[in-house]
Amino acid sequence: DAGVIQSPRHEVTEMGQEVTLRCKPISGHDYLFWYRQTMMRGLELLIYFNNNVPIDDSGMPEDRFSAKMPNASFSTLKIQPSEPRDSAVYFCASRKTGSTLYGYTFGSGTRLTVV
Amino acid sequence: EDQVTQSPEALRLQEGESSSLNCSYTVSGLRGLFWYRQDPGKGPEFLFTLYSAGEEKEKERLKATLTKKESFLHITAPKPEDSATYLCAVQARKAAGNKLTFGGGTRVLVKP
């Protein structure tokens, strides 16, 4: 099992540009979560999906952020337009219903720098 | 609102010097408390889940305990490879989708 795969690992972009982060969850996992990690705020949940349907997006900071999950093996998080305060590490995590005992499995993250 | 506070923020230990990390939480009905380890440049890695006060879990040099208000992660005779950030998270019974709320973490550095 390759685990949760995120791309790119690093992204540097200029303010105002569109940024797309990608995630491939573990096969068979029906929940997918997007988290953001910063020194000031720690890990914050942005949005999560169940069976490809967005369930709770209350953590999405602004309308500039959007997320999609077109199928069970792929999700994107898009920021348009990007701002310097969006600089953070973005993590994707997945889990399978009934597997609470083992928590989530996280990807290695995408470090986003907006200059 | 669920809250998790971890202390200390950072901990420097000599190899073999045992210590404990604290995780204080407030949640309306605890479903589970989770400990994760995070290495630089990587995502959090699952360590333990605790469900009820009095429960304990062990893995190598790590032991996690749980009370009604806090959890401790005890590191016994640590080695340099135990250096990492340790994250605590809670899951409320009412949390839809089993959402986790994380604390700020404790950065542990073990010197040889």
Side-chain angles (χ1 to χ4, degrees), chain A residues 9 35 37 48 95 101 104 107, chain B residues 36 38 41 49 96 98 100:
Chain A
R9 287 299 313 274
Y35 276 83
Q37 187 175 41
Y48 78 90
R95 64 172 284 269
L101 179 65
Y104 300 175
Chain B
Y36 284 83
Q38 186 175 22
T49 307
N98 305 126
L100 294 183

Side-chain angles (χ1 to χ4, degrees), chain A residues 9 31 33 35 37 43 45 48 91 95 100-104 106-108, chain B residues 34 36 38 41-44 46 49 51 87 91 96-100 102:
Chain A
R9 287 299 313 274
Y31 280 92
F33 304 83
Y35 276 83
Q37 187 175 41
L43 268 168
L45 178 65
Y48 78 90
F91 288 102
R95 64 172 284 269
T100 305
L101 179 65
Y102 305 106
Y104 300 175
F106 281 82
S108 294
Chain B
F34 298 77
Y36 284 83
Q38 186 175 22
K42 295 189 176 181
F46 173 78
T49 307
Y51 293 101
L87 297 165
Q91 186 179 87
N98 305 126
K99 167 186 171 181
L100 294 183
F102 282 86

Side-chain angles (χ1 to χ4, degrees), chain B residues 66-105:
Chain B
L66 180 65
T67 72
K68 289 188 177 180
K69 294 184 178 181
E70 57 191 352
S71 177
F72 292 93
L73 184 66
H74 308 277
I75 310 178
T76 301
K79 298 183 178 182
E81 52 262 43
D82 295 321
S83 298
T85 295
Y86 291 87
L87 297 165
C88 171
V90 297
Q91 186 179 87
R93 282 202 201 95
K94 62 173 174 56
N98 305 126
K99 167 186 171 181
L100 294 183
T101 300
F102 282 86

Side-chain angles (χ1 to χ4, degrees), chain A residues 14-35:
Chain A
E14 291 186 349
M15 182 173 63
Q17 296 298 305
E18 178 179 297
V19 176
T20 300
L21 312 182
R22 297 172 176 79
C23 175
K24 176 179 169 57
I26 292 174
S27 177
H29 283 196
D30 55 339
Y31 280 92
L32 183 139
F33 304 83
W34 282 100
Y35 276 83

Side-chain angles (χ1 to χ4, degrees), chain A residues 23-98:
Chain A
C23 175
K24 176 179 169 57
I26 292 174
S27 177
H29 283 196
D30 55 339
Y31 280 92
L32 183 139
F33 304 83
W34 282 100
Y35 276 83
R36 178 171 68 175
Q37 187 175 41
T38 61
M39 288 293 293
M40 291 297 294
R41 301 174 68 90
L43 268 168
E44 301 174 284
L45 178 65
L46 300 177
I47 185 172
Y48 78 90
F49 296 82
N50 180 216
N51 291 322
N52 313 337
V53 176
I55 304 299
D56 183 355
D57 65 353
S58 60
M60 296 285 260
E62 299 171 34
D63 291 344
R64 298 184 295 107
F65 286 69
S66 62
K68 294 182 179 180
M69 192 164 185
N71 56 63
S73 58
F74 184 65
S75 177
T76 59
L77 179 67
K78 185 177 294 186
I79 308 173
Q80 166 64 14
S82 58
E83 296 183 3
R85 59 191 167 126
D86 302 330
S87 298
V89 182
Y90 292 80
F91 288 102
C92 176
S94 70
R95 64 172 284 269
K96 185 176 181 179
T97 296

